[in-house]
Amino acid sequence: MNIAVIGTGYVGLVAGTCFAESGNDVTCVDIDAAKIALLNQGRVPIYEPGLEEMVRRNAAEQRLGFTTDLTSAVQKSAVIFIAVGTPQSATGHANLEFVRDTAKAIAKAINAFKVIVTKSTVPVGTADQIKQWISEETAQPFAVVSNPEFLKEGAAVEDFMKPDRVVLGGDDAEALETVKELYEPFVRTGNPILVMDSRSAEMSKYAANSMLATKISFINEVSCLCEEMGADVTEVRRAMSLDRRIGPHFIFPGVGYGGSCFPKDIRAMIGMGGTRLEMLLLQAVEQVNERQKAILVEKVKRHFGADLTGLTFAVWGLAFKPRTDDMRDAPSITVIAALLNAGARVQAFDPEAMDEAKKIFGDRIGYAARNYDALAGAAALLILTEWNEFRRPDFRRIKELLKAPIIFDGRNIYEPSDLQKLGFKYYSIGRNHG
Ligand code: NAD
């Protein structure tokens, strides 16, 4: 089948590549000419495990192409996916400007019946809105299907190829069947394709992300209380996770959630409630998260004093989570800004997110080529992202390089008793040693 994917970011590029991998002819479209030029050279502008190799293979076999020409991509495709960004607007609502521009551009290009699929995360009612935007521009026939994406950055290809479920929403049976067929190769192990009305499909994405963010804020709040009460959140989490009604996932305390989805989707869901329904729980989830992002620097200030002038801190991990270069709304941004505000200097390292970090911090911080280089002369090490390569470092080397053996671990990746034995002053989250 000929497919167009409009918006070639984390979602669009992965979706387009995976649809090509299952034998479709895919054209990925973006307004960012530099991104398309890079992709046409076989280079992938984002870090996502396994993606670059798959892009190159499918491009070489001519099932995957990249263009800025939306019109020709739409005209030759039967199914058109909208995968453009839906960032947060000034009011906290989802900004649908890019979706509207895309819908209008598709409408101008339509030359025959098309199935238009919304993959972007969009507020409830957007499918109806898209129908209206397109109908205002064209009399050509089309159907709209809502197909929220649930992939995780860092495991996006795997998630797309083996989804827990696929959600399709709409009222055009034939269009739903067409999109269902596209997904059949990915659900051969029996995971379901759920078909529902478009409003429920749109809501399911926000509800799922809100639930995940709620779990994170819940355990973070528990971790704060553990500290107050002298309990250890690691033990508490283990005890909780063995209850099958709770399970082990997404109850790891840390420095708060971030990324391109949770913060904006929680705010969009609060915005959907608007004045009709105050989203009390989600407001609290957000407040807890904001508080959590400040916790590590509070520990730093408790140790060193409120004025950090003259002190340098090493930071390991900048991306909002491991296995991605994405720094959108990363907690590291808040933590580093707080250190700088208190007069400190920062030397940072991240295996993949350094280029993104440079766009945010410029020359306000130093960038180390290797993780150990960040430590030279630093007063302490802060760990903000739980990259695997930080889990078993050479502690003797860390000790030699730091001015004093002090670690503030925002991800609880080390065992407090081990670090104590090695002579470190070790601070982490929700464990009763400080
Ligand atoms: P992104 O910012 O990485 O990519 C969006 C792309 O759309 C950009 O390359 C941009 O240039 C392009 N674009 C914007 N307007 C355009 C237009 N008019 N025509 C063509 N291209 C245009 O965003 P993303 O992370 O891929 O997210 C896309 C959507 O998917 C969002 O709604 C997001 O909430 C949702 N989503 C994201 C993830 C994730 O993990 N990143 C997961 C699930 C859902």
Side-chain angles (χ1 to χ4, degrees):
M1 197 180 296
N2 279 335
I3 297 174
V5 181
I6 321 290
T8 311
Y10 285 86
V11 167
L13 182 58
V14 170
T17 307
C18 292
F19 282 132
E21 180 78 8
S22 58
N24 298 289
D25 289 307
V26 180
T27 311
C28 288
V29 181
D30 207 286
I31 42 167
D32 184 338
K35 195 178 260 193
I36 293 299
L38 212 60
L39 285 159
N40 275 324
Q41 293 161 23
R43 285 159 62 199
V44 169
I46 54 170
Y47 173 74
E48 194 55 57
L51 184 60
E52 189 156 276
E53 190 253 321
M54 209 185 242
V55 166
R56 284 197 186 148
R57 189 174 59 246
N58 283 284
E61 288 167 17
Q62 297 190 346
R63 285 190 302 268
L64 182 61
F66 303 98
T67 182
T68 53
D69 182 0
L70 180 140
T71 304
S72 67
V74 166
Q75 289 183 347
K76 70 178 180 203
S77 300
V79 180
I80 299 142
F81 285 86
I82 301 177
V84 296
T86 49
Q88 191 186 320
S89 69
T91 55
H93 294 75
N95 175 356
L96 290 181
E97 196 186 321
F98 303 125
V99 174
R100 190 199 53 221
D101 290 352
T102 305
K104 295 269 180 191
I106 293 171
K108 290 207 173 80
I110 285 188
N111 54 345
F113 177 78
K114 306 286 174 191
V115 178
I116 297 160
V117 189
T118 322
K119 195 151 247 331
S120 302
T121 302
V122 290
V124 175
T126 302
D128 299 332
Q129 179 73 72
I130 290 174
K131 280 184 203 164
Q132 198 188 324
W133 283 328
I134 297 177
S135 313
E136 282 165 9
E137 305 282 335
T138 181
Q140 292 283 353
F142 68 92
V144 173
V145 171
S146 300
N147 169 219
E149 180 51 59
F150 295 93
L151 63 77
K152 301 184 287 294
E153 282 176 25
V157 171
E158 204 184 318
D159 285 349
F160 198 92
M161 300 294 277
K162 292 180 198 155
D164 291 339
R165 75 308 205 185
V166 173
V167 172
L168 301 180
D171 50 17
D172 184 313
E174 231 171 282
L176 286 164
E177 194 51 42
T178 303
V179 182
K180 209 171 162 191
E181 275 170 29
L182 279 178
Y183 278 104
E184 294 293 354
F186 307 124
V187 292
R188 281 200 305 261
T189 47
N191 288 352
I193 297 178
L194 306 175
V195 178
M196 57 187 77
D197 63 279
S198 62
R199 284 178 178 255
S200 305
E202 289 164 339
M203 181 65 91
S204 24
K205 172 66 189 173
Y206 282 105
N209 271 1
S210 296
M211 171 63 117
L212 294 169
T214 301
K215 290 181 89 170
I216 295 174
S217 277
F218 176 82
I219 197 68
N220 279 338
E221 189 159 77
V222 169
S223 77
C224 293
L225 194 57
C226 283
E227 279 186 23
E228 293 297 328
M229 309 302 289
D232 182 337
V233 73
T234 309
E235 302 298 344
V236 175
R237 183 186 58 74
R238 205 174 295 154
M240 285 168 62
S241 66
L242 291 168
D243 185 324
R244 265 175 282 179
R245 295 168 302 177
I246 298 172
H249 303 295
F250 259 77
I251 49 172
F252 288 86
V255 282
Y257 62 74
S260 65
C261 290
F262 288 177
K264 82 166 172 64
D265 290 350
I266 279 37
R267 280 172 215 147
M269 189 129 167
I270 293 170
M272 270 192 271
T275 50
R276 284 176 296 193
L277 181 69
E278 198 181 355
M279 303 299 282
L280 300 170
L281 180 59
L282 292 185
Q283 286 172 15
V285 166
E286 213 190 356
Q287 282 168 20
V288 169
N289 196 54
E290 288 309 306
R291 182 174 67 187
Q292 198 68 18
K293 288 197 273 184
I295 271 171
L296 210 59
V297 177
E298 279 167 22
K299 288 176 194 278
V300 171
K301 287 182 176 174
R302 239 177 278 139
H303 184 100
F304 289 99
D307 184 1
L308 303 177
T309 308
L311 296 173
T312 299
F313 291 91
V315 168
W316 282 5
L318 296 165
F320 83 95
K321 67 173 181 179
R323 291 162 66 87
T324 182
D325 60 347
D326 200 343
M327 286 219 36
R328 289 178 283 185
D329 254 323
S332 65
I333 298 173
T334 313
V335 172
I336 290 174
L339 291 172
L340 296 177
N341 276 343
R345 282 195 304 267
V346 170
Q347 294 174 173
F349 171 79
D350 187 282
E352 293 296 337
M354 300 286 262
D355 289 343
E356 291 303 307
K358 284 176 189 165
K359 291 180 198 161
I360 295 166
F361 297 113
D363 57 8
R364 289 187 296 136
I365 66 171
Y367 304 91
R370 286 172 300 271
N371 57 340
Y372 293 107
D373 295 347
L375 303 170
L381 164 64
L382 274 69
I383 294 172
L384 302 184
T385 315
E386 67 278 33
W387 284 94
N388 266 343
E389 62 199 86
F390 301 154
R391 286 183 186 275
R392 298 190 62 78
D394 181 345
F395 286 108
R396 266 196 320 206
R397 202 164 159 199
I398 296 180
K399 225 170 151 179
E400 273 165 29
L401 289 163
L402 288 175
K403 274 192 171 158
I406 307 167
I407 297 179
F408 294 89
D409 178 0
R411 299 292 178 180
N412 286 2
I413 60 176
Y414 305 131
E415 197 47 59
S417 56
D418 293 349
L419 277 262
Q420 204 183 1
K421 269 185 232 143
L422 289 163
F424 279 88
K425 179 75 188 144
Y426 177 59
Y427 297 92
S428 58
I429 306 288
R431 300 197 275 187
N432 51 19
H433 59 283

